Amino acid sequence: MAGLLLSPTEKVFIVHGVQEDYRSDGRSNIDYRPMELETDVVSHASGSARLRLANTDILVGVKTEIDVPSPENPDLGKIEFFVDCSANATPEFEGRGGEQLAIGISNLMQRAYHSSQAFNLKQLCIFESKQCWKLYVDILILECGGNLCDAVSLAVKAALFNTRIPFVKAALMDGGNVDLQLSDDPYDSKLLDVGSAPLQVTLCKIGDKCVVDPSAEEESCSVISVIVGITGNSSCFSEDNSSPDTGGKFTTIDMNGPGSVAPKTLKDAINQGRVAAKLLDKSLGEALLRERQESVKLKKYSYGFLK
Amino acid sequence: MPLDYRRFNGPEDSVSYKRFTKDYLKSYDELYKELLDDNGVRKDGRALSEARSMCMFFARTDMVSQAKGSAYVELRKTKVVCSVFDPREIPHQNEFSQLGQIFCEVKFAPFSCPRRRRPHAPDAEEKALSVALRKALEPTVCRHLFPNYQVDVFIYILEHDGACLSAAINAAGLALADAAVPMYDIVTACSVAIVGDRLFVDPTEAEEHVATISPETNSNHGVITMSMLSELKQISDFTLIGSMDTECVNTAMDILEKECETLVPQIQKILVTNVVKSFEQRQRLEEEANDREQALNIKMEEWRKLLNAG
């Protein structure tokens, strides 16, 4: 991380703290830092969210466009992720500096959303093998304070939850071409089913133990981190709590950093990640549902960026 | 994707003729059924848990004479060439880096894949494979021995029939050893494809394809690739794509760990034969040199005698 210099003694202090399950900011090894989340912040996007996790600031906007489905999967829509590392975050990202990191994160997101058990692309189908919705998920990293992957996955899920897709009024076959008529009314739209969308949890190996949600200082003490993507529980994201518990499956596991881990440590880490992801998913669902209710009652007060 | 205007870029919307064949229209269930025959044997005659490491594995070094070290790995129809070049100073870098770096590039031959033609420009999959390869190799190379230098590792996939990342890692490990780059351990890799409750060890392309399609039901599916330093019992890279539960990941990990270990003796054998061969060659060269010297000495003696007599 840019501009971060830690002396060996400071590193030892952090490592010892983790060993005792007591980190330098007072958290235990499986605690997240407080987060701020707000949806519907960008007026021109179909769905948007802004997440602030300590010093990490992420803005996600979802744009919907109409595309032709790929011949291999005529009944599926498309979703694409783009990450932009703004030079505001750190001077290192200036020019093409953040490119590698951006490609890494967008690849990881693409892989996490690959399975239909994570995100069902069938709901984006308009007319089989003719037309489908394409979601462009644009992720903007405004500030970089460690733990980017987790923050990005949370913000993306919130933005998708907030995304509205217009209803298709009529689809006329005109000489083999589809003619769509969409409603002008912005409220005449459907919401996406994103309950099972995956969350990513980064487990940073410090000493012998793994910590969740590492700060930038802690990240610099570790040579390897394991990133797990876990599918969400749909029942947490709908008002009726009747649907059964689902999710908790791994959609992606990846290792980041120059080090290596023992098989047992990896197994422990992915289990720890699964527990953390479940808790995170539950609280994200609660927060998003609460905000949706507020916006229905027109009580929502927009905070925007200047708070 | 920026276009390369120096090449003739074919029409972008051309499609493989295979789209119009019967094979293409097969449903998921049909594809799945085709992978195994009635006795539970795979199409190429392997059992489910049998890797191609035993009889269908072929590897050698010294493929590319220009490179410092090179290797060729063949897992039946998956064919991979790897070349490793001397350390050189890291280009376009201002800061001094304490550790040496490994630069990896994975490239598919345009004709390597059965489903579509590969473009010349590197696509997202190739970039992802390059990153995975670098992550797999980084923990095994003693990078502190060449600070501020980088070693280039180039992988060219000639034919792709599944498990190309693990073949690439195996080839790169062999080529690095061949190039005498100092390493902590031999790196080996293996992959497994998961379809429902079946685990296809060392999958072919068809098996990988079925495993990446999401089934209608909520069953497990996906592909896992793992690379290991077997002697040190360390996992250097782990890549999972798909959707599966914890139990499935754990069983797959155990299987992959075992498979990675079985590959080690084969790699060792190739490296040892190399050493023996080069040793023999040196001996032979020395003997030949001795012979020549003796012949020269004899001639010298004859001339000297002639001179003295004259």
Side-chain angles (χ1 to χ4, degrees), chain A residues 4-27 29 204-211 213-222:
Chain A
L4 185 78
L5 288 170
L6 280 188
S7 69
T9 335
E10 282 172 301
K11 287 189 177 177
V12 167
F13 180 76
I14 290 174
V15 172
H16 284 180
V18 168
Q19 220 61 272
E20 303 287 324
D21 198 13
Y22 197 77
R23 296 203 250 167
S24 45
D25 45 9
R27 289 181 288 160
N29 285 353
C204 214
K205 186 178 164 283
I206 298 175
D208 306 332
K209 295 203 172 167
C210 290
V211 300
D213 187 23
S215 61
E217 288 83 10
E218 283 166 337
E219 267 177 10
S220 70
C221 292
S222 129

Side-chain angles (χ1 to χ4, degrees), chain A residues 200-255:
Chain A
Q200 287 170 3
V201 175
T202 309
L203 295 127
C204 214
K205 186 178 164 283
I206 298 175
D208 306 332
K209 295 203 172 167
C210 290
V211 300
V212 142
D213 187 23
S215 61
E217 288 83 10
E218 283 166 337
E219 267 177 10
S220 70
C221 292
S222 129
V223 285
I224 188 93
S225 55
V226 179
I227 302 167
V228 290
I230 313 277
T231 56
N233 186 351
S234 309
S235 64
C236 291
F237 289 83
S238 60
E239 267 98 357
D240 57 325
N241 296 316
S242 55
S243 52
D245 276 14
T246 49
K249 288 175 110 179
F250 294 96
T251 60
T252 172
I253 299 179
D254 208 3
M255 293 188 357

Side-chain angles (χ1 to χ4, degrees), chain A residues 71-72 111 114-117 122 249-255 258-261 263 266-267 270-271 274, chain B residues 24 135 138-139 143 212 214 216 218-221 233-236 238-240 242-244 246 250 253-254:
Chain A
E72 291 94 40
R111 274 175 29 205
H114 173 85
S115 172
S116 72
Q117 291 166 20
K122 275 197 182 138
K249 288 175 110 179
F250 294 96
T251 60
T252 172
I253 299 179
D254 208 3
M255 293 188 357
S260 57
V261 290
L266 183 61
K267 278 182 189 171
I270 61 177
N271 277 328
R274 191 161 167 265
Chain B
Y24 189 81
K135 280 196 265 184
E138 263 177 355
R143 295 193 296 142
T212 44
S214 317
E216 298 283 333
N218 199 23
S219 56
N220 294 335
H221 73 97
K233 288 266 175 298
Q234 291 276 308
I235 297 170
S236 65
F238 191 92
T239 323
L240 181 150
S243 171
M244 61 195 76
T246 324
N250 285 343
M253 258 171 85
D254 293 335

